[in-house]
Every structure is written in structure tokens, then in C-alpha cells.
Amino acid sequence: MPTYHNAGGGYPNVSAPARQAKLDGNQNHHTIPSNVTSHPLIQNNTQQQQQQQQQQHSVPSNLIASSIPSHPVSPTMTMHSSVTTSNITTHMNTTSSPMILTSNTINPGATTALPANPRHEVKLNAMPWFHGKISRETAERLLRPREDGLFLVRESTNFPGDYTLCVCYQGRVQHYRVKYKNNQLTIDDEEFFENLALLVEHYEQDADGLCTQLTKSLPKQGKQDFCVDPKAFVEAGWVIQTHELELRECIGKGEFGDVLLGVYRGERVAVKMLKDNSEAAQRFLAEASLMTSLIHDNLVKLLGLVFNNQHMYLVTEYMSKGSLVDYLRSRGRLHVSKKDQINFAYDTCAGMAYLESRHVVHRDLAARNVLVAEDNSAKVSDFGLARDENFSLDGGKLPIKWTAPEALKQNFSNKSDMWSFGILLWEIYSFGRVPYPRIPLADVVKCVEKGYKMEPPDGCPAEVYDIMKQAWDLQPEKRPSFHDIKVTLGQLRAEYTKVVN
């Protein structure tokens, strides 16, 4: 029967011995919980569960969801697609709320043709009922009016890493511990679930030993958490079979793990490898889900994902000349022409203008996160945890010298990306120097907030420096759009082409 945190209370569907057995002494919550995704979740289903899953998804036999080898993923990942329509948010949303991108890894990488298979966008699923790290008292204060079946899920404060299902019944709030057992979630040691979404869905359909059936969720205000469905990549046509990918040498390091050179269908590709089974799995799949919906010539292209027993691989086109900052530093003035510089600036701006048109915010635009292809075209990379602003963002260290003043306070927008683009332009025309070269890092923010702007690099065209200064306006609304700057850079690029020819 469900383990529940309050003593007493008479429920017609629960016997007295069962109620006593549910007591877990979780009356006081003082310990600090670990991260919501700190526990691994292994997709080890029983044979019966696998057969049920195959019946739920009518996909080709060689790509059935259960044929994906066992792989550790985040406990908050949805493992099947039966999520209510109201809980689904797609990357195609073009409402006013921007989506957010965070940097993950630098993957040096030449352009590879996409496989011929039909592809579809992979969606992120919201968990509006998940409130994260709130206390027992806060949950009880939020759950009003006390309608039977009103519920939320929070992190357990007495059992870090576990969760608590809080349900209203007969004017009180009952708290059920959701614990891990054999890498699955359970309340009663009888019913086991791969993730929170499935657990909630089960008790929405049947009380099954709880004080009452879950009938209405209390949505979290502001930024919400989400879950990603690994099987959705199968159904959307993004899974690459293990035997199709040949792995070669390591070509870089990233947040998730190594970045390897690979060969897929006779072409070189870049392969990001996820090594661990922590929350990185969720971030990893979020990156991939975003890349299924954002396709542009100046964005690094996703080719697919590989699932096997040890790792997940994210396969992208290979950009043979590496990161823009390394390219600029290694070749310098002798090999990087003014035409090259304006082309790099235009290509990056074109990619960012596309993101802007899709209401997507990158958050870490810099020359290190732009890659150079064999034909010298530049493409924006590092598509990380991308969500609209209603979803939560993980905190982390911000690249201070590239970040707009308001974004240092977490107010990211396309305008803060424009600030970063101004810094990137300075990098291009200084051949990869570190910004604010004569100012200690600790003093950069103070200087910038007082209105300080870097001087133009040697040889920088006045028109380009003017774009930098516009991008560094302290008032975000006064900064230009990427669309407008793309037009300006396009005109400059045409002029350079005429001069060269």
C-alpha cells in the first residue's frame, strides 16, 4: 500500500493495518534535498511491460521503443507518450515567451547530408504539478481550497533524492513518500513506475490505495520542469543504429563527456557521448529535442541519436576547422582576410536571426561556440537546455565577459544575445583575443555598468564597430535586432566581395 506521511485518518479503501504500515515518520522536514534528478533511472522493464509498450507504439519492428537497449536516464523523463495535451509544450511555439539555450560542449566538427528518413520534431513535456524544493508547510499552504484530489509533487525533504506526493482529502493534506526501489519509483512497493509522469498518470486513473484519486493538479507558478521521452526519438525517426556508426579518436571534451570523431554513412560526423547516468541525461536529450525543431544553414545540424547499453550518443555534422576562436587564433592576420571576417560575422548573425525569429535565446553566444566548416562557413553550436521561459533553468557559472548586465541577473532575452554578439564581433576582429584584455575580471561588471565600451580592434571597420557599440547599449530595448544587423552585415559583405573581385 502507499507509504503516507501523516498518522490517523479513516479511509474506506485502506485497512487500519495498511494505514499503520504506511507511516514513515516523515513528520519533520529539515534536511536539504539533493537535485531533483540526482538519481539514475534504468529502463529495465519486465518482458510483459515491454510487450505492452510495443503495442502502444505502432512503429517498424526494427525501431520499436523497447528495442532501445537499456540506458540510464533521469527519473523525471517520460518513458512513453501518453501525456495529456495540456502538458505538452513544443518547440514550434512562437508565442512571446522565448526559449532558452545554454552552452554544453565544444564539438569541433564538415557538413554531412541528413539521412533520407522522414524526420519529425521531438517534444518536451511539461510537469506543471512538480514544485521542486518546497517544504511540507509550503505545500500545505499552496494546496487551497482543500478540494478532494487536488495534488502536487515536491522533493522529499526528509529523504533527499526521493519525492513526496501531496494530496488533499477531507480538508487535510496527506503526504505520500515516493521512493526508489530497484531503480524505479513506488509508493506502496506493489506498483512500480519508470518516472514521476507515469506514477501521477496511474493515480489520476485510480486511487489504488491512496486516500483519494488524483483529480486536479496544482500548477507551479513561473518556471516549470519538464521531461523528455527517449522513445519519441524513435517514433520521430532520429535513432541511429549502433552498427551504423563507427567511432574514432577523441576530438574534444564537453560537459556531458568526450566528443569523438565518427563515420556515419560514409561521412565524418561529430559524436557527443554521455557517460554518466545523472541529470545530464535529461539535459542531453533536451539538447537533442531542440535540435530536431531548429534547422538552418548556420546552425550545427543534428543527424541523430544512438542508444546502447553503456552510453547515449548525439551525432551532429562534423565541422572540420573547429571552433571559430581557435581558428582565428591559430591562423591570425596572415591567413584570415577581411572577407573571411565579414563572412564569419554574417553567418553567425544569420543563425542568430533565425533563433530570434523562433523566440529562442542562446545565453552563451561566443566565438568558442561557433564552429567553422570545411568551406569556411560558420555555424552556431552548443544547443543546450532549450525551453521557453515557463520552464526552469539550471543555475551555473556565467561567462561574465560575454554576458549582458541584465542577463547576469538571469534576465536573458534575444537582446542579451545581441550584447554577446557584439563581444563576438570584437573577437572576430581581434583575431580571437579575450575581451576586456586590460581589465581584471572582478572589475568588468562595474566598468560595464558605468558605460565602459571596449575600443575597436586594430583594423576593425568603422561600420562594424558601430554595430558593437549599438549591441552594448545598457538599455536592452535600444539594442538592434539580429534581423536588422543581418541586413547591415549583408551589405558590408557585398561591398567586400566587390572589392575582392
Side-chain angles (χ1 to χ4, degrees), residues 32 111 124 156 165 184 202 205 218 240 251 278 293 335 337 341 355 357 359 363 383 430-431 452 486 499:
I32 303 300
T111 302
L124 297 181
S156 173
L165 172 61
Q184 291 187 311
H202 174 79
Q205 296 171 357
L218 179 70
I240 295 173
I251 57 176
S278 68
S293 67
H335 297 93
S337 67
Q341 290 173 311
L355 295 183
S357 72
H359 304 277
R363 291 210 327 163
F383 291 54
S430 67
F431 297 90
Y452 174 79
K486 177 185 173 183
V499 171

Side-chain angles (χ1 to χ4, degrees), residues 230-302:
K231 294 184 180 70
F233 289 96
V234 179
E235 298 175 341
W238 290 97
V239 171
I240 295 173
Q241 300 302 312
T242 304
H243 68 270
E244 296 181 281
L245 181 66
E246 176 187 343
L247 298 178
R248 295 186 177 177
E249 69 270 17
C250 178
I251 57 176
K253 301 284 185 179
E255 177 183 347
F256 297 131
D258 293 336
V259 181
L260 307 176
L261 177 65
V263 177
Y264 173 55
R265 297 189 175 180
E267 300 286 347
R268 291 187 297 174
V269 295
V271 183
K272 295 182 181 181
M273 176 169 50
L274 175 65
K275 286 184 175 180
D276 60 42
N277 54 9
S278 68
E279 65 177 295
Q282 190 176 20
R283 294 170 59 86
F284 193 83
L285 290 180
E287 173 175 356
S289 68
L290 173 74
M291 295 180 77
T292 66
S293 67
L294 298 175
I295 300 175
H296 187 274
D297 287 342
N298 296 112
L299 301 181
V300 173
K301 187 180 302 178
L302 173 70

Side-chain angles (χ1 to χ4, degrees), residues 305-323:
L305 287 91
V306 176
F307 298 89
N308 66 25
N309 289 322
Q310 289 78 36
H311 307 293
M312 276 194 294
Y313 301 127
L314 189 151
V315 184
T316 68
E317 61 180 319
Y318 174 66
M319 306 290 283
S320 63
K321 295 186 178 180
S323 73

